[in-house]
Amino acid sequence: DAMVIQNPRYQVTQFGKPVTLSCSQTLNHNVMYWYQQKSSQAPKLLFHYYDKDFNNEADTPDNFQSRRPNTSFCFLDIRSPGLGDAAMYLCATSKPTGYSNQPQHFGDGTRLSIL
Amino acid sequence: RKEVEQDPGPFNVPEGATVAFNCTYSNSASQSFFWYRQDCRKEPKLLMSVYSSGNEDGRFTAQLNRASQYISLLIRDSKLSDSATYLCVVNWGLNYGGSQGNLIFGKGTKLSVKP
């Protein structure tokens, strides 16, 4: 059973047209993450939520926003997608522990294309 | 600067071979270490956590050397199905009430196992 679910799997949008990607989880994890991964590159963290606390990475463009209305759902909003935003977007969740190895669990990803 | 460095490969090995990957990280305060596997155009999946004393899971053995700040992954008796990119992942300190903080991904080492 899928535990971190991303929708849609593939998203095509037009240059400059706002787009929202969604992520839901059945793991009841406190922490949810959004990553951007381009071809042959490592996943790059955009931001994460610890419960309702939002943590933005310093180099995440303002064009990227996120919402977490409840524990189970988290959204990635791209306000004005540019060609450089075409990538795989990965959602992940984890438990919040400071001293033990707590891995992140990834959804299947949404592959975003910009026309 | 947050850095996790890996040899990108590709490592091309015959079935049955033993292959080893290394990874170095720059933050001496890191406490959580993982190896993830990522198949082409798929999400990263946890292969194994890496513990201080080293750990083994079937054909896979992970080692951590804190003094030298490197992690290794050994795959014995390689199978065709082991072909993938292997991502070294390290946490970057503590954040928010004991959360393990962000995970930093290496760019991955590509493994290709040939018949």
Side-chain angles (χ1 to χ4, degrees), chain A residues 33 35 37 42-43 45 48 50 53 55 57 88 90 96-104 106-108 111, chain B residues 2 31-34 36 38 41 43-44 46 49-51 94-100 102-103 105-107:
Chain A
Y33 308 81
Y35 289 87
Q37 187 176 26
L45 182 66
H48 75 277
Y50 185 130
D53 291 334
N55 303 276
E57 289 298 292
M88 170 84 94
L90 295 160
T97 64
Y99 299 100
S100 65
N101 280 19
Q102 282 296 337
Q104 293 180 8
F106 285 84
D108 291 341
R111 187 165 293 280
Chain B
K2 303 174 182 178
Q31 297 180 26
S32 298
F33 309 91
F34 310 94
Y36 276 74
Q38 187 171 27
R41 300 176 75 85
E43 78 280 17
L46 178 68
S49 299
V50 186
Y51 300 106
L94 299 177
N95 191 15
Y96 285 89
S99 165
Q100 68 180 0
N102 298 337
L103 295 184
F105 287 74
K107 290 186 178 181

Side-chain angles (χ1 to χ4, degrees), chain B residues 71-111:
Chain B
I71 307 153
S72 64
L73 176 68
L74 183 77
I75 305 176
R76 290 181 299 277
D77 189 22
S78 300
K79 311 290 184 192
L80 296 177
S81 57
D82 293 335
S83 297
T85 296
Y86 290 83
L87 302 170
C88 174
V89 184
V90 175
N91 86 304
W92 216 262
L94 299 177
N95 191 15
Y96 285 89
S99 165
Q100 68 180 0
N102 298 337
L103 295 184
I104 306 300
F105 287 74
K107 290 186 178 181
T109 298
K110 187 171 181 179
L111 172 66

Side-chain angles (χ1 to χ4, degrees), chain B residues 25 35 88:
Chain B
Y25 60 95
W35 283 103
C88 174

Side-chain angles (χ1 to χ4, degrees), chain A:
Chain A
D1 290 337
M3 294 178 287
V4 181
I5 302 162
Q6 291 188 242
N7 283 303
R9 289 293 306 278
Y10 301 93
Q11 175 73 57
V12 181
T13 192
Q14 291 178 331
F15 183 95
K17 185 175 181 182
V19 65
T20 294
L21 310 182
S22 74
C23 177
S24 64
Q25 55 135 338
T26 59
L27 297 164
N28 205 34
H29 283 169
N30 295 80
V31 195
M32 294 186 78
Y33 308 81
W34 279 105
Y35 289 87
Q36 179 193 66
Q37 187 176 26
K38 297 186 178 181
S39 181
S40 301
Q41 295 186 20
K44 178 182 179 301
L45 182 66
L46 297 173
F47 25 60
H48 75 277
Y49 274 94
Y50 185 130
D51 292 329
K52 290 187 178 296
D53 291 334
F54 177 70
N55 303 276
N56 199 31
E57 289 298 292
D59 56 354
T60 297
D62 292 340
N63 199 24
F64 292 87
Q65 304 285 320
S66 187
R67 296 170 283 135
R68 189 178 185 185
N70 53 52
T71 300
S72 301
F73 285 87
C74 195
F75 300 97
L76 170 62
D77 300 309
I78 309 177
R79 292 193 295 191
S80 182
L83 296 178
D85 297 329
M88 170 84 94
Y89 289 87
L90 295 160
C91 174
T93 74
S94 76
K95 294 179 181 179
T97 64
Y99 299 100
S100 65
N101 280 19
Q102 282 296 337
Q104 293 180 8
H105 301 267
F106 285 84
D108 291 341
T110 294
R111 187 165 293 280
L112 178 67
S113 300
I114 314 293
L115 299 179

